[in-house]
Amino acid sequence: MLSGPLIVSILLTLQSPATDGAKAQAPSAKPGASKKAQADRPNRPRRSGPPRVEPPKTPVVPAARIRAPRGFRVEMIYKVPRETQGSWVNMTFDPKGRLIVSDQYGKLYRVTLPPTSKVEEPKIEPIDAPIGEAQGLLWAFDSLYVVVNRGHKYESGLYRVRDTDGDDRLDKVEQLRKLNGGGEHGPHGIVLAPDGLSLYIVAGNATALTELSGSLVPRIWGEDNLLPRMVDGSGFMANEKAPGGYIARVTPDGQTWDLVSMGYRNPFDIAFNRDGELFTYDSDMEWDVKTPWYRPTRVLHATSGSEFGYRNGAGKWPPYTIDSLPPVVEVGPGSPTGIVFGYDARFPQKYREALYICDWSYGKLYAVHLTPTGSTYKGELEEFIAGTPLALTDIVVSPIDGAMYFAVGGRNTQSGLYRVVYEGPESTAPAIPIEKHETFQDRALRNELERFHGRREPKAVGAAWPYLGHPDRFVRFAARAAIEQQDPASWRERALAESSSPLATLNALLALTHASAADPSHRKPGESAPDPKLRDRILAALNRIEWDRLDHARRLDLLRVYQVVLNRFGQPDDATAARIVAKLDPHYPARSNALNTELIQILAYLQAPSAASKTVALLERAPTQEEQIELARALRVIKAGWNSQLQERYFSWFLKAEGYHGGNSFPGFMRTIRRDAEANLNPAERERLTKMLDAHRASPKTVAAAPERKFVKKWTLDELVPIVESGLKGRDYDQGRDLFASAKCFACHRFNNEGGGSGPELTGVSGRFSVRDLIESIVQPSKTISDQYQAVVIATNNGQIVTGRIVNLHGNVLTICPDMLDPGRMVNVARDQIDEMKPSTVSQMPEGLLDTLKANEVLDLVAYLLSRGDRNDPMFGPSETPRDSR
């Protein structure tokens, strides 16, 4: 959590078979004696089930070393011969309850499973039809649908495979649609629609948008970034633009494709719940770790017409943006692969209702417990299955035997097929579903609004308009999407006059902007420029919204709409620009990092006279690397308001930043910021700063030391608990955040949409832990170590000890990241060099983290952690007694 020594965990995840085409750059391990990996069994009892004898020297994880909740038994039922059957990445059931599986770079196989009561290998039969390399499989409409993600031989696309002569052999292959996309970001999963009438397909962001017959998403998408585009720092997929990854609805004949949802990076799979609502598990660019635009992997509710804001490089939208939708739950670092709901499983009700998501890199199978909230859901993560390494690729639940099956493999690694059954005392009988939850009305309202998506409908504007200010974010998004697909001439004046609430006004003006002006990077050749008179009217309407009457969320919405208007319509005249600056400049800098992020983009774009001086001062006192990078990125485009002293202070920051570390793309981003900043210098300025610029180019890349805090006292759990329990009144939110940042908690933990992810996500800590439990986890971090964040210790044949997180596998090699402060540094270890591997018994979080804090600082920090990021929490109200400085 709070900083200090080199900690063995790392936020960085190098992608899965479904998340990144580029490979890790890591030093090769030295050759050693040939000896297969034989890791120690974790120092904890197996929770249930008899031990299973595994084949000797197998490179897949033995079932005995896989952790599962009490009452569940995990068994490995098949070790896939890699030389002849490849590495399995996808599965589905045929009507007879047999599995059909795909080798990532080879053919398809049919698997007849043994009964759950027997420990024996399944029957494996190759499917001789000329098709393979599938990353999506589905049996429907008396056919096997195959989504090919080209690896070597077969063309990417959607195929239909049938048995034409009734001999139980698939023999006819028909390509229904060629898809322009391949590699690990190509087309992926396929599922049957809840009504049984159509198919849904998900594609990664390297898949060009196919020809559409219709779109539930308004066809007005763009990059919508106000500052100059800053592509991936390593150049990866630099030319890719919106819509990015997408989900499409497809007719059974494969001829009609409708766009359903967009703005993804690279989800591998999709799944419908029993309410007919669609979910996916999406990755982010893990090479962006420790940049302000990094977003962790997340479960998303893919509603009709939805947009989730993935853009290449620094262009990703924060989850709070008004023109996108938030995640159901943030998972953290990982590599998303297969997902499935557990409805057919013979599990206890809690687990039957869960959404299961596979993480390839960290070997985790999570159960996501979903609770209806308004028209959407909120998710709670539970680690269901875990092993090291356990490269999960896909997961299915058998409607025949009620068991769960998952495969491991991908990228030519050793594959295995595992089965999970429940043998505990709880009932596995299906419960009667709740037909009408208390939030059913909101979901029904959203579904009704979604009926207007994808078509021009005279009634749509009147029906949707009253819900532009609805308190449910998904409802108002659906309302705006319905309006944006109607002729703007019919509702333009209504949008400009809307004043029922600030939220309704902002959504109306955003819709009008979207419908009236294309994003500059998406304009067609010869397309006319947007009407500047309409721009000025929209900006005048925004200027009428009073800042002081808005809460924090609405202020962010206001700033976002300003950005979209300025991006799409272009630079306003000087008088209009001055009015915007006069409105926003007094509120910059704010005490909120999110507000500063959005404010500086507008002020930098408009070349506000005070933007340079205010931002340099903010840069110098910003407590985290991520905040500083965001400010430096904006400063690179500011040309007004500089003097020699400000320039020297700005360029001295680049010397400081030489010690910062991040993922593979991090150095490239830093070079881009610095290059653009230097390009703004005139010859005289460049000459004056030559010494500093040359010092930067010659500077050693060492870690910048954090300021040392003085020791206060050795706090104990029993001392702190009564102080905290009685002192959480009148606390200082901003001091709590500053302590969380300056102590480098953000380096490991995600909180309120900020920070890293190598440690637990802490926004919901107040709902999971008592005050005592929270303080104990800080004061005594090694007492209980979460399996999810536990490192491994590897001893090699040649005497090396490697400690860290396994973040990638490829063939016979494990990739380890030993240091969270330097996520670009990797160590490769060949399996046959491993003499011993066991979980680390030392927490990644060091002890003594509170020993440099005074009592009032501990109280502010704990209040911040318990607040869920809400600065209006009663803990931050007026104190009954003055604060002391104990």
Side-chain angles (χ1 to χ4, degrees):
M1 175 183 170
L2 304 174
S3 91
L6 300 183
I7 302 175
V8 294
S9 166
I10 178 54
L11 177 60
L12 179 67
T13 300
L14 297 180
Q15 322 300 331
S16 72
T19 53
D20 218 307
K23 303 296 186 289
Q25 296 177 0
S28 299
K30 296 179 180 179
S34 177
K35 185 176 180 181
K36 291 292 183 182
Q38 187 176 4
D40 280 356
R41 188 170 167 177
N43 186 21
R44 56 184 290 177
R46 182 178 163 87
R47 296 186 186 175
S48 67
R52 175 176 168 82
V53 177
E54 300 296 339
K57 300 182 180 180
T58 175
V60 292
V61 176
R65 289 189 52 241
I66 294 177
R67 300 182 294 275
R70 187 175 300 277
F72 288 88
R73 174 167 58 88
V74 181
E75 56 180 342
M76 187 179 73
I77 62 174
Y78 188 60
K79 176 191 170 186
V80 180
R82 186 169 56 180
E83 296 76 11
T84 57
Q85 295 177 5
S87 194
W88 293 0
V89 296
N90 207 230
M91 302 188 292
T92 193
F93 282 103
D94 73 6
K96 296 183 178 181
R98 299 170 297 191
L99 275 179
I100 296 176
V101 302
S102 64
D103 169 18
Q104 183 176 5
Y105 305 118
K107 63 194 312 178
L108 305 181
Y109 298 88
R110 188 165 65 187
V111 181
T112 303
L113 299 164
T116 57
S117 59
K118 295 183 179 181
V119 179
E120 60 183 40
E121 286 196 346
K123 177 184 177 183
I124 312 296
E125 304 170 86
I127 292 176
D128 293 329
I131 194 66
E133 300 178 345
Q135 291 192 11
L137 293 171
L138 172 69
W139 193 283
F141 306 108
D142 199 30
S143 307
L144 175 67
Y145 287 90
V146 180
V147 179
V148 172
N149 188 341
R150 179 173 181 150
H152 298 294
K153 183 176 180 181
Y154 300 104
E155 188 174 65
S156 291
L158 173 64
Y159 295 78
R160 190 172 190 172
V161 189
R162 301 189 227 191
D163 171 13
T164 60
D165 56 11
D167 66 350
D168 199 29
R169 299 286 179 184
L170 293 167
D171 51 44
K172 181 180 179 182
V173 178
E174 176 187 7
Q175 186 186 65
L176 303 181
R177 174 69 65 96
K178 176 183 177 181
L179 294 173
N180 184 11
E184 294 179 345
H185 291 243
H188 295 313
I190 178 171
V191 297
L192 184 65
D195 61 9
L197 300 178
S198 59
L199 312 168
Y200 279 68
I201 293 175
V202 62
N205 58 324
T207 310
L209 190 62
T210 190
E211 181 180 348
L212 298 174
S213 301
S215 177
L216 306 183
V217 182
R219 300 196 198 204
I220 42 77
W221 55 77
E223 302 305 290
D224 281 320
N225 284 290
L226 189 55
L227 297 185
R229 190 165 181 252
M230 202 163 82
V231 299
D232 177 72
S234 61
F236 184 61
M237 296 177 63
N239 294 323
E240 174 227 352
K241 295 181 181 179
Y246 62 89
I247 298 173
R249 183 177 62 197
V250 185
T251 52
D253 62 5
Q255 301 307 302
T256 302
W257 291 61
D258 295 323
L259 184 64
V260 173
S261 181
M262 61 164 278
Y264 303 98
R265 180 171 181 265
N266 196 24
F268 186 74
D269 205 359
I270 48 180
F272 282 98
N273 73 355
R274 65 169 75 257
D275 298 326
E277 301 289 335
L278 185 62
F279 294 83
T280 190
Y281 178 27
D282 194 18
S283 67
D284 197 20
M285 186 59 172
E286 306 303 328
W287 290 357
D288 291 358
V289 62
K290 298 184 76 65
T291 66
W293 43 87
Y294 170 73
R295 302 184 306 184
T297 65
R298 9 185 241 167
V299 175
L300 302 169
H301 181 191
T303 54
S304 169
S306 51
E307 153 77 87
F308 290 96
Y310 176 79
R311 300 295 186 267
N312 185 271
K316 290 182 284 293
W317 303 355
Y320 53 70
T321 52
I322 187 174
D323 40 353
S324 69
L325 288 171
V328 169
V329 64
E330 288 189 340
V331 180
S335 298
T337 46
I339 72 173
V340 72
F341 277 94
Y343 300 133
D344 289 326
R346 292 177 190 167
F347 290 176
Q349 186 67 15
K350 171 185 176 181
Y351 293 102
R352 185 189 292 266
E353 296 292 320
L355 170 65
Y356 294 90
I357 61 174
C358 295
D359 170 19
W360 185 86
S361 283
Y362 288 127
K364 308 290 183 183
L365 172 57
Y366 295 100
V368 183
H369 304 289
L370 297 173
T371 302
T373 304
S375 74
T376 183
Y377 304 79
K378 65 179 179 180
E380 181 180 346
L381 284 176
E382 177 189 354
E383 182 184 292
F384 182 68
I385 298 291
T388 303
L390 194 69
L392 294 109
T393 55
D394 203 9
I395 180 173
V396 292
V397 176
S398 170
I400 305 298
D401 61 26
M404 175 183 288
Y405 295 84
F406 65 85
V408 301
R411 284 192 175 175
N412 288 320
T413 59
Q414 175 64 58
S415 268
L417 179 63
Y418 295 79
R419 177 162 59 194
V420 184
V421 296
Y422 181 71
E423 298 176 330
E426 294 185 51
S427 171
T428 60
I432 299 175
I434 299 174
E435 292 296 330
K436 290 191 177 182
H437 191 273
E438 60 184 3
T439 64
F440 177 79
Q441 288 184 329
D442 283 340
R443 189 169 72 241
L445 171 59
R446 174 174 55 76
N447 292 157
E448 188 63 31
L449 293 169
E450 289 168 349
R451 297 180 189 277
F452 296 113
H453 292 178
R455 60 193 176 97
R456 289 284 176 98
E457 167 57 57
K459 297 179 180 179
V461 173
W465 203 275
Y467 302 106
L468 289 176
H470 194 277
D472 184 288
R473 185 168 169 182
F474 281 71
V475 167
R476 58 183 184 261
F477 189 100
R480 180 171 52 78
I483 292 168
E484 287 176 346
Q485 296 181 70
Q486 313 308 315
D487 182 1
S490 67
W491 51 270
R492 180 183 300 118
E493 296 305 318
R494 185 172 183 177
L496 291 166
E498 174 59 48
S499 61
S500 61
S501 72
L503 186 54
T505 300
L506 289 168
N507 271 298
L509 295 175
L510 178 63
L512 182 58
T513 302
H514 281 158
S516 305
D519 183 282
S521 64
H522 289 252
R523 286 180 194 151
K524 299 175 182 177
E527 184 174 353
S528 60
D531 180 5
K533 293 182 180 180
L534 179 58
R535 174 199 61 205
D536 293 344
R537 295 184 70 192
I538 295 173
L539 290 174
L542 289 174
N543 285 340
R544 289 193 294 269
I545 299 174
E546 298 180 38
W547 179 272
D548 291 338
R549 298 184 64 181
L550 304 178
D551 63 15
H552 186 263
R554 297 294 79 79
R555 288 173 179 175
L556 290 171
D557 291 344
L558 172 65
L559 296 173
R560 178 59 179 169
V561 179
Y562 268 119
Q563 291 171 21
V564 177
V565 174
L566 293 171
N567 171 64
R568 295 202 171 205
F569 281 94
Q571 184 79 30
D573 60 58
D574 291 345
T576 302
R579 284 192 290 271
I580 299 172
V581 170
K583 178 184 179 68
L584 300 181
D585 187 66
H587 306 293
Y588 178 72
R591 300 194 78 181
S592 158
N593 179 47
L595 285 176
N596 286 334
T597 295
E598 306 310 322
L599 278 164
I600 187 51
Q601 292 186 57
I602 301 171
L603 296 174
Y605 176 82
L606 296 175
Q607 300 295 320
S610 67
S613 60
K614 287 184 175 183
T615 307
V616 168
L618 192 57
L619 174 70
E620 291 172 333
R621 66 175 184 267
T624 70
Q625 169 179 316
E626 291 83 352
E627 287 178 66
Q628 294 172 29
I629 292 170
E630 187 66 70
L631 297 168
R633 179 171 77 113
L635 281 166
R636 89 192 202 278
V637 304
I638 297 177
K639 299 180 180 180
W642 291 100
N643 57 41
S644 59
Q645 183 188 51
L646 282 176
Q647 287 175 329
E648 289 177 5
R649 290 163 62 189
Y650 178 36
F651 281 97
S652 69
W653 176 82
F654 289 101
L655 293 173
K656 175 183 177 182
E658 286 292 347
Y660 293 161
H661 297 289
N664 282 21
S665 296
F666 185 85
F669 283 126
M670 298 301 290
R671 285 193 297 270
T672 298
I673 295 172
R674 188 175 61 249
R675 180 200 66 206
D676 291 351
E678 291 185 15
N680 282 334
L681 298 173
N682 61 39
E685 291 168 338
R686 186 179 295 274
E687 177 67 23
R688 178 170 47 79
L689 294 170
T690 295
K691 185 175 181 180
M692 181 176 291
L693 298 177
D694 289 345
H696 146 70
R697 295 183 181 95
S699 64
K701 293 175 173 54
T702 57
V703 177
E708 292 290 334
R709 292 182 59 95
K710 293 182 180 180
F711 176 81
V712 174
K713 67 171 296 181
K714 184 69 177 177
W715 289 106
T716 67
L717 180 64
D718 291 337
E719 283 178 314
L720 283 173
V721 170
I723 292 174
V724 172
E725 288 181 335
S726 63
L728 293 178
K729 293 182 180 179
R731 306 321 314 166
D732 188 324
Y733 177 93
D734 292 289
Q735 177 165 281
R737 182 184 178 277
D738 287 346
L739 288 165
F740 192 83
S742 61
K744 297 189 180 177
C745 299
F746 279 126
C748 296
H749 296 283
R750 191 85 175 163
F751 186 86
N752 194 28
N753 298 319
E754 295 183 272
S758 58
E761 208 278 347
L762 296 180
T763 307
V765 70
S766 62
R768 301 196 302 268
F769 298 103
S770 67
V771 168
R772 184 179 184 87
D773 290 338
L774 176 60
I775 296 173
E776 181 181 70
S777 69
I778 301 172
V779 176
Q780 301 173 5
S782 294
K783 182 175 180 179
T784 303
I785 304 176
S786 168
D787 294 335
Q788 184 177 352
Y789 301 100
Q790 192 168 38
V792 296
V793 180
I794 297 175
T796 67
N797 298 335
N798 58 9
Q800 290 182 317
I801 301 294
V802 180
T803 304
R805 291 285 294 277
I806 299 174
V807 297
N808 200 7
L809 303 93
H810 197 280
N812 192 45
V813 175
L814 306 182
T815 299
I816 314 295
C817 184
D819 176 13
M820 74 168 190
L821 296 180
D822 189 4
R825 183 168 69 89
M826 303 289 163
V827 176
N828 282 353
V829 180
R831 292 178 187 268
D832 57 12
Q833 290 186 325
I834 298 175
D835 185 60
E836 182 182 53
M837 180 169 65
K838 60 184 179 182
S840 174
T841 59
V842 178
S843 173
Q844 302 163 11
M845 191 168 84
E847 294 185 357
L849 298 173
L850 301 180
D851 294 351
T852 62
L853 304 186
K854 298 175 183 179
N856 68 302
E857 293 177 316
V858 174
L859 289 168
D860 288 339
L861 175 61
V862 173
Y864 175 73
L865 285 169
L866 294 176
S867 72
R868 297 177 183 261
D870 180 9
R871 63 175 57 248
N872 296 316
D873 189 283
M875 289 183 293
F876 305 115
S879 177
E880 295 177 3
T881 58
R883 279 194 214 139
D884 59 43
S885 57
R886 289 176 291 171

